[in-house]
């Protein structure tokens, strides 16, 4: 039998060296050539795809088992559709996160988490699932089943031992390996009994008060006087504080914990909203600076001094007067009494050195009244040549 074949060779640009035409050869000579052509066709792969790596991590919550699954899939088939079934999606298993892959799609298909592609290559699949438990009361149980193409692997489980008691598997510690049984992972737990919360004791509001106050008078020989009063406040929330300024005084500035406050005086009364600078603290410092004109000092005379009347009670008030050194001073009246300064007063004077002759006064339990002081003065002739 003779079989005729028409062979046309065209490689690149035709030339005289490349013949064309037809040839007739016997069948027994053609068959070996045809068999050789079949051998050059690559054989199909033994399987379309393989799951080469699987990892599962889980974390228990009061309402579900949260799972992070990692798969690496090697797809061998090319130019035809391949499905790789990774996990069973039962009624209580919910996908919460799936990846976006180039050349492949991952999602739910026929009740299973499936990778679908028509291109060969290696694909990394990271998905998140929430497995809701079955059971009533405080005891819960979940089950996660593997897909047909995945070999079962253990689940790395994190469980807070103070919040959960594991029933299945029975194991101690917070990091547990849960091994599959019959192609499924099973976890059972019991929520720990809620701790009794101690009844919160509401602290009664702190009565605002002023444990201590420090006042300082400074005057020049021309009678220009400045009064600085520092109040140590005790309070636990914002409170209103009212100061009635003595007659003839004008307000220079007000500071709360060294921060200037915008304040206005109406009818010789200063009203402020004060509070601790930091939350939870119960102390603050208010500083008030006043000025007044005492008048020119004569050879002798009398000074009437006063401090603001404060709406909060003051436990202890200490005052210092820095007046010209050319005079002798004596207390003639008022609510404040003179006392010897002692070590505490000397230390305070050293911290804030001021010119003039220093006289110390004090008053205890000041409430709803303005501290007052009357001083008589006369020229000091103790150092005079004639006496």
């Amino acid at each position: 039998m003779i079989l005729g074949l028409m062979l046309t060779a065209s490689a690149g640009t035709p030339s005289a060296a490349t013949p064309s035409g037809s040839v007739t050869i016997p069948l027994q000579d053609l068959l070996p050539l045809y068999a050789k052509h079949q051998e050059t066709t690559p054989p199909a792969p033994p399987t379309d795809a393989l799951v080469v790596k699987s990892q599962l991590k889980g974390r228990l919550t009061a309402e579900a088992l949260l799972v992070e699954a990692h798969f690496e899939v090697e797809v061998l088939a090319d130019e035809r559709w391949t499905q790789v079934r990774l996990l069973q999606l039962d009624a209580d298993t919910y996908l919460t996160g799936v990846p976006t892959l180039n050349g492949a799609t991952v999602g739910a298909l026929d009740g299973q988490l499936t990778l679908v592609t028509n291109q060969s290559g290696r694909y990394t699949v990271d998905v998140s699932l929430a497995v809701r438990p079955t059971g009533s009361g405080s005891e819960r149980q979940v089950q996660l089943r593997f897909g047909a193409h995945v070999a079962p692997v253990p689940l790395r489980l994190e469980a807070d031992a103070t919040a959960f008691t594991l029933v299945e598997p029975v194991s101690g510690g917070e990091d547990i390996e849960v091994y599959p049984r019959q192609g499924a992972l099973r976890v059972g737990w019991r929520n720990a009994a809620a701790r009794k919360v101690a009844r919160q004791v509401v602290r009664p509001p702190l009565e605002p008060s002023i444990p201590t106050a420090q006042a300082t008078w400074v005057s020049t020989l021309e009678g220009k006087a400045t009064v600085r009063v520092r109040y140590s406040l005790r309070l636990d929330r914002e409170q209103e504080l009212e100061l009635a300024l003595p007659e003839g005084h004008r307000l220079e500035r007000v500071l709360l914990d060294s921060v200037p406050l915008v304040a206005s005086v109406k009818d010789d009364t200063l009203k402020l909203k004060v509070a601790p600078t930091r939350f939870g603290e119960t102390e603050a410092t208010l500083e008030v600076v006043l000025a007044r004109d005492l008048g020119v000092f004569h050879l002798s005379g009398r000074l009437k001094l006063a401090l603001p009347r404060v709406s909060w009670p003051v436990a202890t008030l200490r005052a210092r007067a820095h007046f010209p050194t050319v005079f002798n001073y004596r207390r003639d009246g008022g609510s404040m009494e003179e006392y010897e300064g002692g070590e505490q007063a000397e230390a305070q004077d050293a911290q804030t050195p001021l010119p003039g002759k220093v006289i110390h006064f004090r008053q205890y339990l000041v409430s709803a009244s303005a501290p007052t002081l009357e001083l008589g003065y006369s020229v000091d002739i103790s150092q005079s040549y004639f006496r």
Side-chain angles (χ1 to χ4, degrees):
M1 178 179 179
I2 303 299
L3 180 66
L5 294 177
M6 179 69 70
L7 301 178
T8 302
S10 59
T13 304
S15 63
T18 305
S20 62
S22 61
V23 62
T24 301
I25 61 174
L27 179 59
Q28 60 272 18
D29 294 335
L30 177 62
L31 292 177
L33 295 175
Y34 184 72
K36 185 177 181 181
H37 173 71
Q38 285 185 325
E39 292 177 358
T40 60
T41 303
T47 183
D48 289 347
L50 288 172
V51 180
V52 297
K53 186 176 182 180
S54 304
Q55 286 182 339
L56 297 177
K57 294 181 180 179
R59 180 170 59 87
L60 276 184
T61 68
E63 301 298 331
L65 170 66
L66 305 181
V67 179
E68 299 290 333
H70 172 81
F71 301 101
E72 294 183 14
V73 182
E74 188 74 33
V75 178
L76 304 175
D78 198 13
E79 297 183 355
R80 68 173 181 267
W81 289 105
T82 301
Q83 297 182 15
V84 183
R85 301 182 184 276
L86 303 173
L87 291 172
Q88 298 276 353
L89 298 179
D90 296 329
D92 295 322
T93 304
Y94 303 91
L95 283 173
T96 58
V98 294
T100 301
L101 305 178
N102 292 326
T105 302
V106 177
L109 179 62
D110 297 332
Q112 298 202 31
L113 176 66
T114 306
L115 180 142
V116 180
T117 183
N118 63 351
Q119 298 179 19
S120 61
R122 180 177 284 250
Y123 298 94
T124 299
V125 181
D126 291 306
V127 296
S128 302
L129 306 100
V131 188
R132 298 278 295 179
T134 58
S136 59
S138 62
E139 191 165 321
R140 309 296 177 88
Q141 186 178 35
V142 296
Q143 175 178 275
L144 182 63
R145 295 189 295 164
F146 293 92
H149 300 113
V150 177
V153 295
L155 167 71
R156 186 75 169 178
L157 179 64
E158 295 180 8
D160 187 354
T162 62
F164 309 104
T165 301
L166 283 180
V167 178
E168 182 182 2
V170 179
S171 176
E174 295 189 356
D175 294 332
I176 305 153
E177 292 284 350
V178 181
Y179 287 89
R181 292 188 301 164
Q182 299 176 352
L185 292 165
R186 295 180 178 85
V187 179
W189 74 93
R190 185 185 303 111
N191 292 335
R195 296 181 179 178
K196 293 184 179 180
V197 180
R199 183 180 178 182
Q200 186 177 6
V201 179
V202 179
R203 186 181 63 182
L206 186 65
E207 187 69 22
S209 62
I210 302 175
T212 60
Q214 302 281 346
T216 304
W217 284 286
V218 179
S219 177
T220 64
L221 195 59
E222 292 78 15
K224 303 297 182 181
T226 300
V227 184
R228 183 188 304 269
V229 190
R230 292 173 59 90
Y231 298 98
S232 298
L233 310 181
R234 179 171 296 170
L235 70 169
D236 59 356
R237 64 199 69 189
E238 187 180 70
Q239 300 281 358
E240 183 176 282
L241 177 63
E242 184 176 310
L243 293 90
L245 305 187
E247 183 179 358
H249 289 69
R250 61 183 179 275
L251 180 66
E252 294 287 325
R253 61 180 177 273
V254 181
L255 299 96
L256 181 64
D257 288 334
S258 302
V259 178
L261 297 181
V262 178
S264 60
V265 178
K266 184 177 181 181
D267 298 331
D268 292 332
T269 301
L270 175 63
K271 293 183 178 181
L272 299 171
K273 293 285 187 178
V274 293
T277 305
R278 296 180 178 85
F279 180 77
E281 293 188 353
T282 58
E283 294 181 354
T285 301
L286 179 70
E287 183 174 329
V288 180
V289 181
L290 307 175
R292 69 165 296 189
D293 190 355
L294 294 175
V296 178
F297 281 82
H298 301 285
L299 295 179
S300 63
R302 184 184 296 271
L303 299 174
K304 292 186 177 182
L305 307 176
L307 295 176
R309 175 175 56 82
V310 189
S311 58
W312 297 1
V314 180
T316 303
L317 168 67
R318 287 186 171 85
R320 292 179 298 163
H322 294 257
F323 287 153
T325 57
V326 296
F327 297 102
N328 287 324
Y329 302 91
R330 66 184 183 279
R331 177 183 176 278
D332 286 346
S335 61
M336 288 184 282
E337 62 178 10
E338 186 176 358
Y339 75 102
E340 294 295 331
E343 295 182 359
Q344 181 179 0
E346 291 177 2
Q348 186 179 3
D349 294 340
Q351 291 178 358
T352 55
L354 294 171
K357 185 175 292 186
V358 184
I359 317 167
H360 295 276
F361 304 92
R362 66 188 174 190
Q363 184 176 345
Y364 298 107
L365 302 178
V366 183
S367 178
S369 63
T372 59
L373 178 64
E374 293 185 14
L375 289 180
Y377 68 89
S378 59
V379 174
D380 183 4
I381 61 173
S382 60
Q383 302 297 327
S384 176
Y385 181 78
F386 300 100
R387 49 180 173 165

